[in-house]
Amino acid sequence: MKYRQLTKEQFESLHSEFSQFLASQSIDVKEWTQIKKEKLSIAEDQMNVFSDIVWDDVLSKTNYAEHFSKTSVNLFKCDDNEIYRVAIKVNWDINLLEQKGFEWLMKNPMDNSVDIFKGSKPYNFERNLEIFDLIEKGSSISKGEIFEYFNTIIS
């Protein structure tokens, strides 16, 4: 397995897509019910293959990711061959996870208590695997507005 199996909730939300996937494997509802009961390893294999397909599709379309903590933000732009990072650290007692703290940062990006760093690197591994690793470590896929805002400020 390339990534990880989708959660039960993710499978439920992708019920019709999973049904289409099983149909493409010539597995109907009756047969799937039987496989789940009698051939658990085959059922797991089918779920793993579907999970990898979904993850690959989502990650291939991902251009930005972000990770917030109480006093720092890591923003990522994921190009085809390189990943760009804007790291922001606020050096006073603020909570960027709360609306008030986030709004303060957006209004005061050049405050003396704010350190902003910028960098880039080529991917060490396959692009999608590196983005998946960011997600597994707590990053969220984003539209990139915050990355582009800070990238413009420091350019």
Side-chain angles (χ1 to χ4, degrees):
M1 178 157 210
K2 191 173 180 180
Y3 304 107
R4 70 163 164 76
Q5 193 175 95
L6 298 171
T7 64
K8 181 181 178 188
E9 293 79 16
Q10 289 168 325
F11 269 108
E12 288 171 357
S13 71
L14 294 168
H15 176 76
S16 63
E17 290 86 349
F18 187 57
S19 296
Q20 290 173 354
F21 168 77
L22 291 175
S24 75
Q25 306 295 310
S26 300
I27 300 172
D28 61 20
V29 175
K30 182 179 174 185
E31 187 177 357
W32 179 243
T33 303
Q34 185 179 353
I35 289 171
K36 288 192 305 185
K37 287 181 185 173
E38 299 171 8
K39 301 174 183 172
L40 196 54
S41 67
I42 293 173
E44 283 291 318
D45 289 345
Q46 291 297 318
M47 293 168 69
N48 290 344
V49 169
F50 179 74
S51 294
D52 279 348
I53 291 169
V54 170
W55 276 115
D56 253 338
D57 183 52
V58 168
L59 296 167
S60 293
K61 295 174 184 173
T62 298
N63 295 315
Y64 295 92
E66 55 193 30
H67 185 272
F68 283 81
S69 69
K70 188 174 178 184
T71 59
S72 66
V73 182
N74 283 283
L75 306 167
F76 303 95
K77 180 177 182 180
C78 311
D79 282 353
D80 290 340
N81 300 310
E82 196 168 7
I83 189 163
Y84 300 86
R85 178 182 177 196
V86 174
I88 303 162
K89 174 84 172 114
V90 179
N91 300 305
W92 65 280
D93 192 22
I94 189 171
N95 189 348
L96 299 173
L97 298 172
E98 295 176 352
Q99 187 69 27
K100 183 179 172 183
F102 175 74
E103 287 175 0
W104 179 90
L105 175 62
M106 296 303 282
K107 290 177 186 172
N108 301 283
M110 302 310 290
D111 189 89
N112 287 338
S113 66
V114 179
D115 294 325
I116 303 176
F117 305 96
K118 178 179 169 180
S120 66
K121 71 172 187 77
Y123 296 107
N124 292 325
F125 305 102
E126 184 186 326
R127 176 191 182 276
N128 287 0
L129 285 172
E130 290 202 33
I131 297 170
F132 179 76
D133 186 53
L134 289 174
I135 292 168
E136 289 294 284
K137 290 177 177 171
S139 292
S140 301
I141 295 170
S142 74
K143 293 180 182 177
E145 295 103 334
I146 301 170
F147 177 94
E148 293 300 339
Y149 173 75
F150 280 99
N151 193 45
T152 301
I153 287 173
I154 59 177
S155 293

